[in-house]
Amino acid sequence: MIKLSDYLDYLNKEIIQARKMADENAVLVARQYAEHPYLKYFKVPRYAMPVVKMDIPVKVADIDAKSKFDFKLNPLIFLSEVNEKIRAVNKEKNLSMALISEEQVAGKEFQTLFKKLENNDQRYVKNLGSVVKKIDLAPQIKALNLNIFRPQADDDEKYELTRILSETIAGKYSLVSSRLNNIFIDPDTTSSEDKDKLFINLHVEMEEEGIRIVKLQDKNGNEVEEITFE
């Protein structure tokens, strides 16, 4: 795994090194031409690379980014969505979860949770999933009347109810902004295990631009360096 910026820097250095080696070889050939009785009358061949174009597939290994979310919840919409999911799960998995009432959502446990989530939003986080995963729903689950559930299904129903509440709460976050720090890539795209990974194609175009450093003397006799771009 390597940072995308480091990978592009590596490509740049390799191309510069290739150009340097080509120039060194051109100087060597020029000396051979100069010493040859016949070739010294010919123009020394030199091949430049004014533009280097590359299409490079890479695999995105990780993205270092943080996002800011805003939490807004309408209690009635929240109640409707939760009960709709409860009905669907009861039917699909043959459970007996009770629907949540408006009074329960308006109760202390849920209102305290919603207030806490609103106070903690608008902060940069790694990802929303990690935020939702840390939400402790035990007080809210306890406040609901779980005694009506069938004893043998308690664990399943508690699990499903927790999942439903978590998913519904997660849906009440909206993305405000994102801050991308680094993209980490893997140049190896041949592994058969990477078929579900994200791949990108880098279209890199590097155009030749030369610089020349000349040492001069100023009017006081001091040696200075002058850099010119060609």
Side-chain angles (χ1 to χ4, degrees):
M1 189 168 64
I2 182 175
K3 285 201 301 184
L4 178 60
S5 58
D6 291 338
Y7 185 60
L8 293 175
D9 180 57
Y10 163 77
L11 293 176
N12 180 59
K13 289 179 179 177
E14 287 295 297
I15 292 174
I16 291 175
Q17 182 64 19
R19 172 64 187 275
K20 176 177 176 289
M21 294 171 64
D23 287 343
E24 289 174 345
N25 186 62
V27 172
L28 178 62
V29 173
R31 287 175 177 169
Q32 293 173 348
Y33 268 58
E35 296 173 358
H36 197 279
Y38 299 113
L39 290 178
K40 64 182 179 181
Y41 298 107
F42 290 82
K43 183 184 295 185
V44 178
R46 177 178 180 272
Y47 297 96
M49 296 182 291
V51 177
V52 177
K53 298 181 180 179
M54 294 176 287
D55 283 295
I56 310 169
V58 295
K59 175 178 60 184
V60 178
D62 191 18
I63 297 178
D64 178 16
K66 290 190 175 182
S67 301
K68 184 185 291 186
F69 295 90
D70 183 36
F71 180 81
K72 293 294 182 185
L73 182 144
N74 182 309
L76 294 180
I77 295 178
F78 173 80
L79 177 64
S80 175
E81 292 178 355
V82 169
N83 284 335
E84 182 179 351
K85 293 177 182 178
I86 289 176
R87 293 189 188 95
V89 172
N90 280 342
K91 182 177 180 181
E92 178 186 353
K93 299 188 176 183
N94 194 29
L95 298 179
S96 306
M97 289 185 291
L99 300 181
I100 298 177
S101 68
E102 186 174 343
E103 290 75 16
Q104 288 172 317
V105 173
K108 176 183 176 182
E109 289 77 11
F110 277 95
Q111 292 304 311
T112 300
L113 172 64
F114 298 154
K115 188 65 176 179
K116 180 181 178 181
L117 297 180
E118 289 180 358
N119 292 337
N120 289 338
D121 67 3
Q122 295 286 346
R123 301 178 183 180
Y124 281 106
V125 296
K126 177 73 174 178
N127 57 70
L128 181 59
S130 62
V131 174
V132 176
K133 190 175 181 180
K134 293 179 181 179
I135 298 175
D136 181 16
L137 293 172
Q140 289 71 39
I141 299 296
K142 185 178 180 180
L144 300 174
N145 186 9
L146 299 180
N147 293 328
I148 64 174
F149 295 155
R150 290 173 296 144
Q152 63 270 26
D154 268 357
D155 290 341
D156 290 340
E157 291 176 346
K158 288 179 182 178
Y159 170 80
E160 291 296 339
L161 186 55
T162 301
R163 182 183 62 80
I164 289 172
L165 291 175
S166 295
E167 289 181 356
T168 309
I169 288 173
K172 302 310 172 187
Y173 284 90
S174 58
L175 181 64
V176 176
S177 62
S178 292
R179 183 171 60 196
L180 179 62
N181 298 320
N182 286 301
I183 297 178
F184 295 91
I185 64 168
D186 184 352
D188 181 12
T189 59
T190 60
S191 176
S192 59
E193 300 175 356
D194 296 331
K195 60 182 180 180
D196 295 327
K197 296 293 181 72
L198 175 63
F199 289 84
I200 59 176
N201 192 64
L202 297 178
H203 177 72
V204 182
E205 185 170 327
M206 297 183 178
E207 187 171 346
E208 176 187 0
E209 182 179 88
I211 63 172
R212 187 185 299 274
I213 300 177
V214 182
K215 291 186 177 181
L216 305 170
Q217 285 188 341
D218 61 16
K219 61 181 180 179
N220 298 322
N222 299 317
E223 188 177 82
V224 295
E225 289 185 343
E226 181 181 84
I227 301 177
T228 57
F229 293 87
E230 300 176 345

